[in-house]
């Protein structure tokens, strides 16, 4: 294992709106430092995630509809290849490698530094909204998120209400939508755009307010490490009947926590051609992450079966998968992350830059020579 966690240098160029960031930084550290200048690059929903992994797999977060994925703000990188060369890669230098590291994960070398574009994102209007979950509220939430302007990115976690201080104790375990909504723009306009979400049903809790962008990453509980059975997938639509299926399947799980995380995509992310980066799911409409969290290892088979059946029941036309949410699920699922010509091009680039498959402890794209 290569531990890059002590590589945390960050050079922010406020004039140019760019930053060179060493790969050991976390999304939260980067976001806090950039936020001090009213600037941001979009990462995911969790501050403790490293910028290395999230960037190399794609990066889907709260700016995805407004500014695209993390890789859409990647301008250059420094890559140490399998043969020990240190390459500076961008659209003009080693463009093939630059294409491959925007979604292809850690298959092509070790990235020591990333150069990102920064956007002016000072304050945003957003936060958490807790709504009762029913097939109707889930479907309404998705329909609103789909028709919202690109300034709004939303994540809806349909789940049993967790024991949180601001949720009345009698609701614990009841099905809720724990949503995170972020509107990047004028707060008054954000309030107007978010109003229909608040009106879906009487919220159990409403923590949406104007806030500084780095506040999207609240402090985390580092002691929480449950076991998990999970699946990631894309679906084309979530109408009332699909929402009903989600609602009922979640209730059929005996896991201590079960969740269906729904992320409506589109916007800036979808305006980039699918072959522009190794992440090719530009046209995917909704990302769904299913998970059952449990404590006893012997429960694994039961929860894996539940999540597998759930994913199969939800399957629609889009059979892709987002590599950063894949578990150890075998070669077919890695192929689902890299459809068609994307896979062929990745294999060709892998064969050139890492013919011996030195970097194979990952969602592996093996070279064409069988190594
Ligand atoms: C709680 C949680 C929330 C998440 N939320 C989101 C989200 O909202 N959006 C999203 O897009 N993803 C999300 N993810 C997925 C996340 O993007 C991946 O788990 C990612 O791999 C994490 O990267 P890391 O550097 O922290 O992990 P690591 O375990 O350090 O890295 C994972 C793999 O990435 C490769 N890698 C990492 N850094 C480098 C490098 N510098 N050079 C070469 N290869 C490298 C290696 O193959 C490594 O094994 C989430 C994950 C978690 C755990």
């Amino acid at each position: 294992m290569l531990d890059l966690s002590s590589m945390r240098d960050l050079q922010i160029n406020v004039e140019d709106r760019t930053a060179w960031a060493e790969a050991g930084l976390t999304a939260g550290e980067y976001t806090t430092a950039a936020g001090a200048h009213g600037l941001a690059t979009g990462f995911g929903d969790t501050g403790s995630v490293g910028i290395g992994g999230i960037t190399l797999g794609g990066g889907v977060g709260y700016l995805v509809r407004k500014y695209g994925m993390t890789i859409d703000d990647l301008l250059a990188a420094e890559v140490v290849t399998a043969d020990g060369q240190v390459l500076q890669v961008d659209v003009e230098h080693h463009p093939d490698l630059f294409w491959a590291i925007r979604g292809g994960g850690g298959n092509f070398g070790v990235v020591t530094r990333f150069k990102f574009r920064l956007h002016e994102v000072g304050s945003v209007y957003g936060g958490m909204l807790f709504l009762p979950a029913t097939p109707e509220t889930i479907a309404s939430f998705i329909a609103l998120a789909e028709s919202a302007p690109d300034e709004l990115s939303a994540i809806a976690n349909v789940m049993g209400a967790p024991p949180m201080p601001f949720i009345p104790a009698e609701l614990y375990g009841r099905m809720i939508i724990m949503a995170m909504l972020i509107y990047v723009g004028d707060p008054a306009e954000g309030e107007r755009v978010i109003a229909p979400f608040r009106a879906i049903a009487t919220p159990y809790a409403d923590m949406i307010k104007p806030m500084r962008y780095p506040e999207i990453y609240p402090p985390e509980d580092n002691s929480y490490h449950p076991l998990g059975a999970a699946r990631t997938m894309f679906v084309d639509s979530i109408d009332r009947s699909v929402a009903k299926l989600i609602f009922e399947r979640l209730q059929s799980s005996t896991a201590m926590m079960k969740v269906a995380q729904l992320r409506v995509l589109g916007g800036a992310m979808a305006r980039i051609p699918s072959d522009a980066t190794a992440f090719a799911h530009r046209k995917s409409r909704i990302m769904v992450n299913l998970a059952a969290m449990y404590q006893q290892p012997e429960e694994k088979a039961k929860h894996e079966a539940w999540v597998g059946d759930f994913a199969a029941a939800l399957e629609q036309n889009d059979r892709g998968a987002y590599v950063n949410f894949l578990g150890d699920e075998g070669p077919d699922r890695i192929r689902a992350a890299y459809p068609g010509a994307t896979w062929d091009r990745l294999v060709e680039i892998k064969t050139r830059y890492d013919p011996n498959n030195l970097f194979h402890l990952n969602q592996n794209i093996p070279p064409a020579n069988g190594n």
Side-chain angles (χ1 to χ4, degrees), residues 4 23 44-46 50 52-54 56 59-60 106 109-111 263 322 324-325:
L4 307 186
D45 66 0
T46 302
I54 192 166
L56 295 172
V60 178
V110 179
V111 177
R263 301 181 183 217
Y322 172 39
N324 270 350
F325 284 125

Side-chain angles (χ1 to χ4, degrees), residues 231 233-239 241-250 252 288 290 304-319:
R231 286 288 182 287
M233 62 196 297
F234 297 110
V235 296
D236 311 303
S237 71
I238 297 183
D239 59 13
S241 71
V242 177
K244 183 164 177 276
L245 186 136
I246 292 171
F247 181 75
E248 289 175 352
R249 289 277 174 156
L250 284 170
S252 73
V288 178
L290 307 174
E304 287 290 344
W306 174 82
V307 85
D309 289 348
F310 191 176
L314 265 182
E315 209 165 67
Q316 299 175 1
N317 291 325
D318 189 336
R319 301 291 168 95

